[in-house]
C-alpha cells in the first residue's frame, strides 16, 4: 500500500511497517516476497481465507473444544493445544469455556504438586507454558479461580519454572517469608484483609512473575489490569466505609505520644490509600476526598509537616499533592480559615514554602514538586466565583498578606548588595524556582503583585541576579523584567524609570560582549519589543540615559531603531500642528485594554494612590502646554532645535565625565563592573571647570546658557516620553514656574508637575 506493508497475525491483530518513501518500501517488499517465494508484483500475498474457512468448519462441526484428560503423561499435548488456540479468537473462546466447565485449572495444579515432588522438570516446564497461555486467554472467570486463596500460590509456583531460565525463581519464598503484611491499624473485616492480600499477590504476578508481554500479547493481558483495578476500588470503598478505622488512623497520626516509626507507617499507609483513590470514578473520588476532609486530613498534614522526620514530611507532601491536584479550592478554604486562629509561621502554605526552601536534594526534586503545587493554588484559572464572594480576591489578598514574604525571603536575603551574596548552584536553582512563580504572578495577578513589586522594590532586587555566574538564573531575572515590560503598564514603566532599572540589563549586555548566546538574544529581544510596541516613555528613558553605551551595537538595528523612534517623538513634539490627527490616534494608545484591570482593581488603585508613586495616575496626563513655537517661522524653529540638540550632546558628555569614571568611553567604564549611577542630575552640568564641559565663548552650550537649555531639553524629552501632543494655552505660566524644579526630579515626576 504505497509506503505501508501490512500483515495480520489474527483476526483482531494487524501490524504494519511504515516507510518514508515508496522506493524503500518496494525494496523491502521484494526481499520479503523473495523469502516467501511469492511474486512481488502481487499486492496481497497473505492467504487470509484459510483461517476463516477453518474456523467456519470448526464452528459447524464441533460446538465445543474437547480437552485431553488431565494427566502427567499428556501435559505436552495440553501445552500444544493451548499454544495452538491462542492465535484464533474463536478457539480461545472455546478453550476458555472448556477450562471453566471442567474445573481443569485445579486438576492442573494437582499435577504441579506431583511434578514438584517427583522433580519432573520437563513436566514443570510444560505447566509453565500452559499457565502462561491461560493468562493470555484474558478471561475474568479463569482469573477468579487462579487468584483464589487456595490456588494463587500454586499458580505462582508454576510460573517459577520458565524453560528459558537455567534455574527456577523463588517467588513463593519471597511472598511467604520476605514480604510482610503490616497492619498499622488492625483490620477487623476478614474479607477486606483477604482482598488486600490477593491484590498484592496479583500485582506481584503482573510486575515480577509474568514475562514482559510481546507485541502480540499486550492486549491479551488487559483483563489482568482490570482485575487489579477493580480490586483497588473495592479496597478503597471498604476502608472508606469503616469509620472506626479512619478515626483511629487520624487520631494516632496527630497524637504526640505516637512514636516516630509508627507515625511513619501511618503516613505511608495514608499515602498508599490516596494513591489507590486515583483509580476511582470521579463521583467516587469526590466522596473519598470529602470523607478524608471531614476526618481532618488537612490539620493532620499540618501537624506532620511541622515534624523533624524527613521521610514522614516527604510522604505528607505527596498526600498534600493529591489533595491540591484534586480540589485546590478545598485547600484554599482551609488555609484561609486557619489564618484567623494561627500565626503566619505555622500556616499550612507557609510550611510548604519552608520545605521547598529547605530542600536538601542537590537537584531540588522536592522543591520543584512543591513549587508546582503553589502555582496550582495561586492560579486564578481554577478559582471559583460565586454570587456572594470571589475566591480570587479573598485568597490572593490572604496570600500576599500572610505568605508572599515567606516566599520572597531567600530572594531578598541574597540581593542586598550589587551582586548575589550566595551564588552556589543549589541557591541559584532555588531562586530560579521562586522567580518562575513570581513571573507567573505578574502574568496572572494584577493589582496584588503590582503593589507588592513597587512597594517592596522587588524588580531592583531581582535584577541583582543578572550578575550571577549561573546563566539560567540571570535569564530568569531577565524573563521576570520582560514579563513586566510586556504588560505595557505605565505604573510599572514609571517605577522602572525612576529607579533606573535598565542599568543592570545594559551592564549585563555589555559584559556579555560579542558572544552570540541566549543572554545576548534575550536582551536584544526586550529592547526590540519596546521599539516595535512603541512604548514611548521607555524609549525616551533608554535613549536619554543609555544611548552612549548602546550606539556602537550595529549587528542588529534595534538600538538605532529606538533612537529613530525617539527622534520622531521629538519631531512630533516640536511640530504638534503638523501631525494633529496622528497625535489624536496616539492618545488612544494610552487607553487601558478592557481586560487589564477589573473594576474593583481600578477602585483599589484610585483609593490607595498615596502608597504608589505619590498618586500618579495610571494614564499619564496629556501635555497641555501651549508654546510660542506655534507662531515661530520654520527657520526659527529649526535653529532652536539645533541649539537644543547640541546642548543635549554636550550635557551627556558632561554627565559622563562627572560620574566618577576614569575613562571617557562610556562603554568601557560601564563594563568595568564599578557601581555608578549612569545619570547624574541635570543640575550638575552647571559646575564650572568640569572636564569636557562646554566652555567656548560663542557656543550654544556656554556656561551662561547651560542651565536654561538643559531645563528646556528636559521638559521636551519628558513630554516626548510620556504625554500626548494636544496643547492648550492655559498652562504657559506653569512651565516657567516649574523650570528650576525639573532639573532635579525624576522623569515621572516632571511629567506630573508639568500637567498639574
Amino acid at each position: 500500500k504505497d509506503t505501508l506493508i501490512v500483515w495480520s497475525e489474527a483476526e483482531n491483530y494487524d501490524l504494519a511497517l511504515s516507510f518514508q518513501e515508496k522506493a524503500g518500501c518496494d525494496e523491502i517488499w521484494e526481499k520479503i516476497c523473495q523469502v516467501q517465494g511469492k511474486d512481488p508484483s502481487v499486492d496481497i500475498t497473505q492467504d487470509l481465507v484459510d483461517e476463516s474457512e477453518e474456523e467456519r468448519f470448526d464452528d459447524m462441526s464441533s460446538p465445543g473444544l474437547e480437552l485431553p484428560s488431565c494427566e502427567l503423561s499428556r501435559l505436552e499435548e495440553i501445552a500444544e493445544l493451548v499454544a495452538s488456540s491462542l492465535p484464533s479468537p474463536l478457539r480461545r473462546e472455546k478453550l476458555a469455556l472448556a477450562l471453566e466447565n471442567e474445573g481443569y485449572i485445579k486438576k492442573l495444579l494437582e499435577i504441579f504438586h506431583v511434578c514438584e515432588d517427583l522433580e519432573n522438570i520437563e513436566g514443570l516446564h510444560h505447566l509453565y507454558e500452559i499457565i502462561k497461555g491461560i493468562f493470555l486467554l484474558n478471561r475474568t472467570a479463569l482469573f477468579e479461580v487462579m487468584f483464589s486463596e487456595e490456588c494463587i500460590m500454586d499458580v505462582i509456583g508454576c510460573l517459577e519454572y520458565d524453560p528459558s531460565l537455567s534455574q527456577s525463581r523463588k517467588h513463593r519464598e519471597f511472598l511467604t517469608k520476605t514480604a510482610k503484611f503490616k497492619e498499622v491499624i488492625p483490620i477487623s473485616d476478614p474479607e477486606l484483609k483477604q482482598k488486600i492480600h490477593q491484590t498484592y499477590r496479583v500485582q506481584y504476578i503482573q510486575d515480577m512473575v509474568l514475562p514482559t508481554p510481546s507485541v502480540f500479547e499486550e492486549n491479551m493481558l488487559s483483563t489482568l489490569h482490570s482485575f487489579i483495578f477493580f480490586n483497588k476500588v473495592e479496597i478503597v470503598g471498604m476502608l472508606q466505609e469503616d469509620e472506626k478505622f479512619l478515626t483511629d488512623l487520624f487520631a494516632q497520626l496527630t497524637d504526640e505520644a505516637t512514636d516516630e516509626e509508627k507515625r511513619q507507617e501511618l503516613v505511608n499507609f495514608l499515602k498508599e490509600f490516596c494513591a489507590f483513590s486515583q483509580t476511582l470514578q470521579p463521583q467516587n473520588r469526590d466522596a473519598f476526598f470529602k470523607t478524608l476532609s471531614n476526618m481532618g486530613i488537612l490539620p493532620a498534614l499540618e501537624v506532620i509537616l511541622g515534624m523533624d522526620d524527613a521521610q514522614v514530611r516527604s510522604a505528607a507532601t505527596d498526600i498534600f499533592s493529591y489533595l491540591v491536584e484534586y480540589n485546590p479550592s478545598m485547600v484554599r478554604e482551609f488555609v484561609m480559615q486557619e489564618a484567623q486562629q494561627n500565626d503566619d509561621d505555622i500556616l499550612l502554605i507557609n510550611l510548604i514554602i519552608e520545605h521547598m526552601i529547605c530542600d536538601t536534594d542537590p537537584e531540588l526534586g522536592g522543591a520543584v514538586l512543591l513549587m508546582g503545587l503553589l502555582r496550582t493554588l495561586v492560579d486564578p484559572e481554577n478559582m471559583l466565583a460565586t454570587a456572594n464572594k470571589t475566591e480570587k480576591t479573598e485568597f490572593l489578598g490572604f496570600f500576599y498578606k500572610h505568605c508572599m514574604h515567606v516566599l520572597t525571603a531567600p530572594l531578598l536575603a541574597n540581593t542586598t548588595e550589587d551582586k548575589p551574596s550566595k551564588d552556589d548552584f543549589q541557591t541559584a536553582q532555588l531562586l530560579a524556582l521562586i522567580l518562575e512563580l513570581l513571573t507567573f504572578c505578574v502574568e496572572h495577578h494584577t493589582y496584588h503583585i503590582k503593589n507588592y513589586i513597587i512597594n517592596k522594590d522587588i524588580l531592583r532586587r531581582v535584577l541583582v541576579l543578572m550578575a550571577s555566574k549561573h546563566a539560567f538564573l540571570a535569564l530568569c531575572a531577565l524573563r521576570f523584567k520582560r514579563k513586566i515590560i510586556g504588560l505595557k503598564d505605565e505604573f510599572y514603566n514609571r517605577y522602572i524609570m525612576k529607579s533606573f532599572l535598565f542599568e543592570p540589563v545594559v551592564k549585563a549586555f555589555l559584559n556579555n560582549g560579542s558572544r552570540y548566546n541566549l543572554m545576548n538574544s534575550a536582551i536584544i529581544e526586550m529592547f526590540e519589543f519596546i521599539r516595535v510596541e512603541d512604548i514611548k516613555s521607555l524609549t525616551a528613558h533608554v535613549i536619554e540615559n543609555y544611548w552612549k553605551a548602546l550606539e556602537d551595537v550595529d549587528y542588529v538595528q534595534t538600538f538605532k531603531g529606538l533612537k529613530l523612534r525617539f527622534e520622531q517623538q521629538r519631531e512630533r513634539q516640536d511640530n504638534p500642528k503638523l501631525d494633529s490627527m496622528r497625535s489624536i490616534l496616539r492618545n488612544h494608545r494610552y487607553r487601558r485594554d478592557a481586560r487589564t484591570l477589573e473594576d474593583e482593581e481600578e477602585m483599589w488603585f484610585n483609593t490607595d494612590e498615596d502608597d504608589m508613586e505619590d498618586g500618579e495616575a495610571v494614564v499619564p496626563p496629556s501635555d497641555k502646554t501651549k508654546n510660542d513655537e506655534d507662531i515661530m517661522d520654520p527657520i526659527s524653529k529649526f535653529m532652536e532645535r539645533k541649539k537644543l540638540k547640541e546642548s543635549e550632546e554636550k550635557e551627556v558628555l558632561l554627565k559622563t565625565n562627572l560620574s566618577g569614571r576614569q575613562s571617557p568611553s562610556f562603554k568601557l567604564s560601564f563594563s568595568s563592573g564599578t557601581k555608578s549611577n549612569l545619570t547624574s542630575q541635570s543640575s550638575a552640568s552647571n559646575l564650572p571647570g568640569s572636564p569636557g564641559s562646554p566652555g567656548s565663548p560663542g557656543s550654544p552650550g556656554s556656561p551662561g546658557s547651560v542651565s536654561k537649555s538643559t531645563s528646556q531639553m528636559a521638559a521636551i524629552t519628558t513630554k516626548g516620553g510620556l504625554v500626548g501632543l494636544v496643547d492648550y494655552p492655559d498652562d504657559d505660566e506653569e512651565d516657567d514656574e516649574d523650570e528650576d524644579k525639573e532639573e532635579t526630579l525624576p522623569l515621572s515626576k516632571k511629567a506630573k508637575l508639568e500637567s498639574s
Side-chain angles (χ1 to χ4, degrees):
K1 296 181 181 178
D2 293 332
T3 58
L4 287 177
I5 297 173
V6 185
W7 71 97
S8 300
E9 289 291 337
E11 196 172 87
N12 298 327
Y13 300 103
D14 285 347
L15 296 168
L17 282 174
S18 176
F19 296 84
Q20 194 166 351
E21 297 185 8
K22 190 175 185 305
C25 182
D26 291 343
E27 185 183 343
I28 298 297
W29 176 241
E30 284 179 17
K31 289 187 177 176
I32 290 172
C33 290
Q34 185 182 345
V35 172
Q36 289 183 338
K38 302 284 178 79
D39 181 4
S41 62
V42 178
D43 281 347
I44 299 173
T45 62
Q46 188 173 4
D47 192 355
L48 298 176
V49 182
D50 289 348
E51 189 177 6
S52 56
E53 274 184 357
E54 186 181 342
E55 285 187 356
R56 278 203 300 274
F57 175 74
D58 284 349
D59 200 23
M60 289 184 294
S61 61
S62 57
L65 187 69
E66 193 172 329
L67 292 167
S69 59
C70 194
E71 298 171 6
L72 180 58
S73 58
R74 305 192 72 175
L75 283 178
E76 186 174 359
E77 186 183 342
I78 298 167
E80 285 175 2
L81 176 66
V82 171
S84 65
S85 300
L86 289 175
S88 163
L90 185 63
R91 285 183 187 167
R92 270 207 315 273
E93 186 74 22
K94 288 180 178 179
L95 176 60
L97 286 170
L99 289 168
E100 284 175 44
N101 295 337
E102 299 180 23
Y104 210 77
I105 292 173
K106 289 186 179 178
K107 294 176 186 175
L108 286 169
L109 296 177
E110 287 171 12
I111 295 177
F112 167 69
H113 285 292
V114 174
C115 287
E116 269 208 319
D117 292 340
L118 297 173
E119 296 185 1
N120 184 342
I121 300 300
E122 187 182 352
L124 291 168
H125 285 169
H126 289 316
L127 281 165
Y128 171 88
E129 298 292 353
I130 293 165
I131 296 296
K132 180 189 166 192
I134 294 173
F135 268 100
L136 296 175
L137 291 176
N138 217 20
R139 294 281 289 199
T140 306
L142 295 177
F143 287 156
E144 285 174 358
V145 176
M146 295 165 75
F147 300 151
S148 64
E149 188 73 24
E150 57 181 316
C151 294
I152 188 164
M153 295 307 286
D154 290 337
V155 168
I156 293 170
C158 291
L159 293 170
E160 288 180 357
Y161 295 96
D162 186 346
S164 63
L165 300 174
S166 57
Q167 198 170 359
S168 64
R169 298 287 180 86
K170 304 292 182 188
H171 296 304
R172 285 172 294 174
E173 187 179 320
F174 173 82
L175 288 171
T176 53
K177 294 181 181 176
T178 309
K180 299 293 182 189
F181 177 59
K182 289 184 179 177
E183 287 183 86
V184 288
I185 304 286
I187 296 172
S188 53
D189 186 348
E191 187 187 348
L192 173 58
K193 199 180 290 190
Q194 190 273 328
K195 189 68 72 177
I196 292 170
H197 284 305
Q198 184 190 57
T199 306
Y200 176 77
R201 288 165 181 168
V202 176
Q203 187 95 50
Y204 182 81
I205 290 172
Q206 183 191 41
D207 296 340
M208 305 299 298
V209 181
L210 283 176
T212 306
S214 72
V215 69
F216 304 114
E217 296 167 348
E218 276 181 356
N219 294 332
M220 293 182 179
L221 290 174
S222 58
T223 308
L224 183 62
H225 297 298
S226 300
F227 187 91
I228 295 168
F229 174 86
F230 288 117
N231 262 19
K232 288 182 176 179
V233 171
E234 278 188 63
I235 290 168
V236 171
M238 292 163 85
L239 283 171
Q240 194 179 326
E241 289 163 14
D242 190 340
E243 286 190 15
K244 182 181 182 306
F245 179 87
L246 288 179
T247 307
D248 289 350
L249 173 68
F250 283 105
Q252 290 192 35
L253 260 178
T254 52
D255 187 353
E256 292 181 7
T258 308
D259 62 67
E260 286 187 15
E261 189 178 343
K262 178 72 171 175
R263 198 187 309 277
Q264 191 173 332
E265 289 176 357
L266 290 163
V267 173
N268 285 334
F269 169 81
L270 189 56
K271 174 184 168 183
E272 195 170 353
F273 191 35
C274 291
F276 269 35
S277 73
Q278 302 305 296
T279 62
L280 298 174
Q281 296 295 321
Q283 65 270 22
N284 295 340
R285 205 179 313 153
D286 282 350
F288 172 80
F289 281 112
K290 196 167 185 181
T291 303
L292 289 186
S293 180
N294 293 339
M295 289 287 176
I297 189 168
L298 285 165
L301 283 179
E302 196 168 46
V303 172
I304 298 164
L305 286 166
M307 293 179 179
D308 297 330
D309 191 324
Q311 285 184 311
V312 169
R313 289 203 312 265
S314 174
T317 302
D318 290 337
I319 297 166
F320 183 69
S321 72
Y322 285 123
L323 294 169
V324 171
E325 286 165 17
Y326 167 70
N327 191 347
S329 291
M330 179 178 78
V331 178
R332 291 190 201 107
E333 189 176 350
F334 169 76
V335 294
M336 283 192 286
Q337 285 174 355
E338 66 160 353
Q340 296 166 10
Q341 297 136 11
N342 297 336
D343 296 334
D344 285 1
D345 295 343
I346 57 171
L347 294 182
L348 181 59
I349 290 193
N350 286 347
L351 289 171
I352 292 292
I353 294 172
E354 283 169 21
H355 290 320
M356 182 196 80
I357 292 168
C358 302
D359 188 6
T360 53
D361 176 11
E363 297 299 323
L364 293 188
V368 171
L369 169 67
L370 293 172
M371 185 58 77
L373 298 179
L374 285 174
R375 183 170 174 155
T376 303
L377 286 173
V378 300
D379 187 355
E381 295 297 317
N382 61 44
M383 292 182 184
L384 306 172
T386 61
N388 310 336
K389 59 176 185 176
T390 306
E391 190 180 18
K392 176 182 175 183
T393 308
E394 287 193 0
F395 181 75
L396 292 183
F398 157 82
F399 184 79
Y400 280 87
K401 182 177 180 182
H402 297 281
C403 308
M404 188 55 109
H405 65 280
V406 183
L407 179 67
T408 55
L411 172 68
L412 297 175
N414 211 35
T415 53
T416 51
E417 306 295 331
D418 298 344
K419 59 182 182 178
S421 49
K422 274 182 75 178
D423 205 18
D424 58 278
F425 180 67
Q426 195 161 352
T427 304
Q429 273 190 305
L430 176 65
L431 294 179
L433 278 176
I434 293 170
L435 278 177
E436 271 186 44
L437 188 60
L438 289 177
T439 306
F440 177 84
C441 293
V442 167
E443 186 175 6
H444 292 90
H445 306 163
T446 47
Y447 60 99
H448 289 101
I449 188 70
K450 187 189 297 183
N451 186 32
Y452 190 79
I453 287 174
I454 294 175
N455 284 347
K456 302 289 184 184
D457 201 13
I458 295 293
L459 180 56
R460 185 177 65 80
R461 303 294 282 271
V462 166
L463 290 175
V464 170
L465 301 176
M466 293 287 293
S468 170
K469 65 183 179 185
H470 299 285
F472 70 87
L473 180 58
L475 286 164
C476 276
L478 184 65
R479 189 157 56 243
F480 180 71
K481 180 170 183 177
R482 172 66 178 79
K483 187 65 72 177
I484 288 174
I485 289 175
L487 297 176
K488 297 191 283 188
D489 185 314
E490 283 301 314
F491 261 103
Y492 278 131
N493 291 349
R494 285 199 292 277
Y495 162 59
I496 288 169
M497 293 184 296
K498 180 182 176 182
S499 302
F500 295 98
L501 295 180
F502 276 102
E503 179 176 334
V505 177
V506 176
K507 189 176 285 187
F509 180 67
L510 297 178
N511 288 341
N512 191 61
S514 58
R515 283 178 293 175
Y516 177 48
N517 54 15
L518 193 54
M519 178 65 73
N520 174 276
S521 299
I523 293 175
I524 289 173
E525 190 278 333
M526 184 170 73
F527 285 110
E528 182 69 11
F529 176 82
I530 294 169
R531 184 191 72 78
V532 170
E533 295 296 321
D534 196 15
I535 305 175
K536 294 178 172 50
S537 53
L538 295 184
T539 301
H541 177 75
V542 169
I543 296 304
E544 287 172 359
N545 295 291
Y546 308 105
W547 172 242
K548 289 293 179 185
L550 301 170
E551 64 180 336
D552 294 335
V553 180
D554 54 6
Y555 52 86
V556 287
Q557 296 305 305
T558 297
F559 301 109
K560 288 183 170 53
L562 270 176
K563 183 78 184 310
L564 182 62
R565 287 270 195 206
F566 174 67
E567 288 170 350
Q568 287 170 346
Q569 284 172 222
R570 292 185 57 184
E571 285 287 330
R572 292 188 190 112
Q573 195 124 36
D574 290 346
N575 300 279
K577 294 284 174 93
L578 299 179
D579 203 12
S580 59
M581 181 57 72
R582 197 178 295 174
S583 76
I584 291 168
L585 292 174
R586 186 161 52 253
N587 281 339
H588 281 291
R589 292 180 126 178
Y590 286 114
R591 291 182 182 176
R592 302 305 303 268
D593 195 314
R595 66 182 170 73
T596 52
L597 285 180
E598 300 167 5
D599 291 341
E600 58 179 332
E601 294 164 3
E602 292 282 11
M603 285 170 59
W604 180 86
F605 270 123
N606 291 337
T607 53
D608 282 7
E609 282 180 342
D610 291 340
D611 298 334
M612 313 265 300
E613 296 296 305
D614 298 329
E616 295 163 328
V618 174
V619 183
S622 298
D623 177 18
K624 297 179 181 177
T625 307
K626 175 83 173 172
N627 290 322
D628 291 339
E629 287 175 349
D630 292 337
I631 54 174
M632 288 173 66
D633 61 84
I635 296 174
S636 304
K637 287 187 192 175
F638 173 76
M639 292 303 294
E640 183 66 16
R641 282 203 305 279
K642 184 175 179 185
K643 186 187 296 183
L644 287 173
K645 187 170 181 182
E646 289 172 1
S647 168
E648 178 192 7
E649 287 173 353
K650 292 181 180 179
E651 187 202 8
V652 168
L653 256 175
L654 183 63
K655 288 183 193 174
T656 307
N657 287 327
L658 284 175
S659 60
R661 300 191 191 92
Q662 298 302 316
S663 165
S665 163
F666 186 88
K667 181 170 179 179
L668 288 175
S669 62
F670 199 164
S671 57
S672 66
T674 56
K675 174 74 177 174
S676 57
N677 191 348
L678 297 182
T679 51
S680 307
Q681 292 179 342
S682 299
S683 56
S685 59
N686 253 337
L687 294 171
S690 302
S693 61
S696 54
S699 71
S702 60
S705 63
V706 165
S707 177
K708 180 71 175 174
S709 62
T710 303
S711 65
Q712 282 181 320
M713 179 206 71
I716 290 169
T717 54
T718 301
K719 293 169 196 167
L722 282 173
V723 295
L725 300 175
V726 181
D727 291 340
Y728 298 94
D730 308 319
D731 297 311
D732 264 344
E733 300 86 16
E734 290 180 19
D735 274 3
D736 295 332
E737 290 171 11
D738 292 337
E739 212 165 45
D740 295 330
K741 295 180 188 175
E742 284 172 353
E743 295 187 343
T744 57
L745 288 174
L747 192 57
S748 56
K749 295 198 176 179
K750 289 180 194 173
K752 182 174 184 294
L753 287 169
E754 285 166 10
S755 59
S756 60

